[in-house]
Structure formats: structure tokens, C-alpha cells
Amino acid sequence: MRPLSMVDLKSQYKNIKTEIDAAIQGVIDSSQFIKGQDVTLLQSELASYLGVKHVIACGNGTDALQIALMALGLKPGDEVITTDFTFIATVEVVALLGLKPVLVDVDPKTFCINADKIEEKITPQTKAIVPVHLFGQCADMQKIMDIANRHNLFVVEDTAQALGADFSFDDGKKLKAGTIGHVGCTSFFPSKNLGCYGDGGALFTNNDEIAEQIRYISNHGMKVRYHHDMIGVNSRLDTIQAAILRVKLPRLDSYNKARQEAAAKYNIELENVEGVVTPSKIDSSSHIYHQYTLLVKDGRRNDLKKFLDEKGIPCMIYYPIPIHQQKAFAPYVDENEMFSVSQQLADEVLSLPMHTELDDEQISVITTAVKSFFQKQ
């Protein structure tokens, strides 16, 4: 059996080695390491895949979120509503820009922002909502867009963990994650469903004006060379990374399908294990399982993690501390406010290995170990 890992990038590379090596060599031969042709082609190909008008590549997913908020023209003190249970980058960029993050508890099934709790957090200073499509499925974008439209708010989707997921609206319309709000943001971090071999990110939008702002901001605020009309940043995707992503993009749907098949096998093996709750999936969104995350009940999560670690079976806690408990964000949180679901998740979540090369033998070893832990209790 191949060694177990949370993400098996080495095996994935071996399966596409010839194409990857040729793509990298092509960039080296061209010596167009910055803003080369592969960047332009990737943007066009990803736009076609997503069904969106504009894709603008950038340096990483955190930059994408920051640039999106800058492009919307938000001012210091403006409020941005987002989730309490996410990777820190989502909230970090809000505070970094002098905006005020306003946290909302999450849905206990999807782990995404609870759309039913958003409206009560809206004030005259609220300007945007940033839902995170956590672990591979979409937040309730039907309700979120309805709220945003009623209150004239921007919506910036954090799609770093759900690229390729579909959301279905009540009228039958189906859109890709990241193409529903005003701007979508993603990361091409190596472990993502579509990952490069370093850092990378991108923004998506159907709005011509916002797209123009994003392009200028990500290039030092420059429209004409050496003419800087706004404050910008330096954030671009290296050509080598774009070339690698162009090899992987046509395989994204098959990669996501492989993850879904692995998740289905996990579910079969673990669904009747007392003390474990397998991931929920809502009808309106597909789930591409960036993570396969269990809830471990009765205070046994840490003991299970220790048990699996001792057996050499990798597992991770995403995320052990919700945003409202992070020291850096204490100034933005009412100490009397309860985020009961986020806190429950922080105490109970445990992610098992999930990647495109996960095979039946590996899944059997992992699930047998999980079951043996509970059988010994």
C-alpha cells in the first residue's frame, strides 16, 4: 500500500508527469516567467470552465480576497459580514484594510455561514457579505443573494475550498461557486482541488467595471505603465504556475469526482459508527470534498486524533479555534456574544485524508482504524 497522507501530491504528479514537465520546460524555453502567455490562456480557459466573463489571476488566495474588497471601494470603518468558522485569511484581509469584520455563526450541517443569521447583523455601515464555501460545498447562496439585493450589499465569495462546485437555485438555474456574487476568489495552493506547485490565486466577476479595478489594483494601481492612478498591490501568478494549472484544469471535474467517490466510500464505512457524524450535503449544492470532515461526539475527538496519529494515519483539525476566540480579533467581538455552533465544531471536527489518488485499500485501513477506536470504548 502507498503511504498514507492527507494530500498525495506526489502520486498525482506521477500520473501527469509528462505533461507537467513539458509545460514547465515550455515556460523555461520561452523565458516569459512573468505575465507569459500561459497566464493569459489560463484566465481564458478558467473563465470558460466557470461560465464567467472575467478571470484575473493573482499571487495567492489571500491577495484575491484583499484585492476584491479594495476593488469594491470600501472605506475604513465599513462593515463586512462573514463567518466565524473559517481559515483566518477570510477575516484577516477585512481588518487589514481598516474595515470592520462582523462575525456570524455557522450552519451545523454545512459548516458554512448561517444565512438565517445574517440579516440581524446588518447595520447602516454594512457594505458587503463574504460567504465561505467551506470544505467543498456552497453556502446558501439563494438566501445570501436575496439578502444582499434587499440591502444593496456586495457579495464576495471565498471559493478557495470549492472550485468546481455547483449551486442550484429554486428557479432551476445552476451556477459555479464563485460566479454568483459580485466577485469570487480562489486559491491555487498545492492542496486545493485545483492546485499549483507554489502560491497562486484568482478572482472572478461578470462586472466589467469591477474587473477593470481588479486588474489595476493587482498591478500597482497602474493603468498605463508608470502612471499610478490608485493605490494598488503587486500580486500576479507566475507563468510556470499558470502552465501547471492549465494541465490540471481539464482534469478538475474528474479530480472532484474522485473525491466524491472516496467520500461515498468513507460514508458507507462510517455512517453507522456510534459517536461519529459523517459530512452532510445540502440538495442545492454539489460537494467536492476539499476536506472530508467528521464530527466526533462526546468529547472524544482529541482521543481519536491521538489514536490515529499513533497508528500513522494522518488526520487534521480544521479549525481548532474559531475566529471569535482569536486574540487578534478580540477588538471586533462582543465578549457576551455566543457562537455556539462554531465552538461545537472547533471541539468536534476531524478531517481524514482526502485526495484524488485515495484508493480502496487506503480507505479500508483508515476506516478500520476509526471503527476499532470506538469498538474499544
Side-chain angles (χ1 to χ4, degrees):
M1 184 182 74
R2 287 180 292 109
L4 292 171
S5 58
M6 287 298 291
V7 181
D8 190 355
L9 296 176
K10 184 177 291 186
S11 294
Q12 186 187 70
Y13 165 66
K14 287 180 178 178
N15 290 330
I16 54 176
K17 182 179 187 303
T18 301
E19 290 178 67
I20 290 288
D21 290 356
I24 293 172
Q25 189 61 54
V27 176
I28 294 171
D29 290 342
S30 73
S31 296
Q32 295 180 344
F33 300 112
I34 304 296
K35 296 184 179 180
Q37 184 181 30
D38 280 296
V39 176
T40 301
L41 291 172
L42 173 68
Q43 292 174 153
S44 175
E45 291 160 3
L46 186 53
S48 178
Y49 171 81
L50 293 170
V52 71
K53 194 170 182 181
H54 303 280
V55 169
I56 302 100
C58 65
N60 55 67
T62 305
D63 280 2
L65 289 163
Q66 178 177 330
I67 292 166
L69 294 174
M70 292 173 70
L72 299 179
L74 305 189
K75 306 298 183 185
D78 287 346
E79 295 177 357
V80 176
I81 292 175
T82 191
T83 171
D84 183 49
F85 192 71
T86 182
F87 182 61
I88 200 71
T90 311
V91 188
E92 184 177 45
V93 297
V94 177
L96 186 67
L97 293 172
L99 309 172
K100 181 183 178 182
V102 176
L103 302 176
V104 172
D105 207 355
V106 294
D107 182 275
K109 291 184 177 180
T110 66
F111 310 161
C112 297
I113 191 170
N114 189 333
D116 292 332
K117 293 182 177 294
I118 291 175
E119 206 150 15
E120 64 192 51
K121 295 294 186 81
I122 294 174
T123 75
Q125 287 71 48
T126 305
K127 296 297 186 293
I129 305 170
V130 181
V132 178
H133 303 318
L134 198 71
F135 296 161
Q137 71 178 320
C138 295
D140 189 342
M141 293 305 294
Q142 176 94 42
K143 290 183 180 178
I144 290 170
M145 293 309 298
D146 287 346
I147 292 168
N149 289 334
R150 283 201 303 274
H151 294 274
N152 195 29
L153 303 176
F154 291 113
V155 174
V156 176
E157 298 175 73
D158 184 336
T159 319
Q161 298 186 13
L163 194 65
D166 295 308
F167 186 85
S168 299
F169 290 83
D170 292 345
D171 62 3
K173 181 173 63 175
K174 183 182 292 186
L175 294 174
K176 290 288 186 187
T179 70
I180 303 166
H182 297 84
V183 187
C185 303
T186 200
S187 165
F188 297 130
F189 189 78
S191 64
K192 302 302 184 189
N193 297 58
L194 180 63
C196 58
Y197 291 173
D199 274 321
L203 302 97
F204 329 128
T205 184
N206 284 304
N207 185 296
D208 295 342
E209 183 178 344
I210 293 174
E212 183 179 44
Q213 292 294 100
I214 289 169
R215 291 189 180 97
Y216 296 153
I217 290 169
S218 62
N219 189 31
H220 297 288
M222 184 168 58
K223 297 184 179 182
V224 179
R225 192 169 180 83
Y226 300 126
H227 292 254
H228 306 276
D229 297 334
M230 64 188 73
I231 301 297
V233 298
N234 176 28
S235 186
R236 55 200 176 200
L237 183 67
D238 292 340
T239 308
I240 284 179
Q241 303 301 344
I244 291 165
L245 291 166
R246 290 189 64 221
V247 173
K248 287 188 169 188
L249 178 57
R251 295 173 166 84
L252 179 56
D253 285 343
S254 64
Y255 285 165
N256 288 340
K257 183 180 179 182
R259 289 171 177 267
Q260 291 165 343
E261 291 172 350
K265 293 170 184 175
Y266 270 137
N267 288 343
I268 291 170
E269 293 296 324
L270 298 175
E271 63 183 352
N272 295 319
V273 177
E274 187 174 352
V276 163
V277 179
T278 56
S280 297
K281 179 192 171 300
I282 58 174
D283 292 337
S284 56
S285 175
S286 60
H287 200 321
I288 60 173
Y289 296 97
H290 172 66
Q291 304 292 352
Y292 182 87
T293 302
L294 302 173
L295 293 181
V296 185
K297 312 303 285 187
D298 304 320
R300 290 184 283 179
R301 190 271 308 279
N302 292 346
D303 290 338
L304 174 58
K305 185 179 189 309
K306 181 180 178 183
F307 178 82
L308 294 176
D309 287 342
E310 290 172 349
K311 286 186 169 295
I313 295 174
C315 54
M316 292 291 293
I317 299 172
Y318 306 110
Y319 301 95
I321 306 174
I323 304 298
H324 81 273
Q325 290 188 335
Q326 298 285 354
K327 182 178 179 181
F329 292 93
Y332 303 103
V333 179
D334 180 348
E335 62 182 15
N336 296 315
E337 186 172 6
M338 301 295 292
F339 296 88
S340 57
V341 179
S342 293
Q343 187 58 65
Q344 174 200 341
L345 297 182
D347 293 339
E348 296 182 353
V349 290
L350 187 68
S351 296
L352 300 180
M354 175 53 74
H355 51 81
T356 55
E357 276 63 46
L358 200 60
D359 61 37
D360 290 352
E361 183 181 13
Q362 292 175 315
I363 292 173
S364 178
V365 168
I366 295 164
T367 55
T368 297
V370 173
K371 287 185 281 188
S372 71
F373 170 82
F374 288 97
Q375 289 166 358
K376 291 178 180 178
Q377 302 302 304

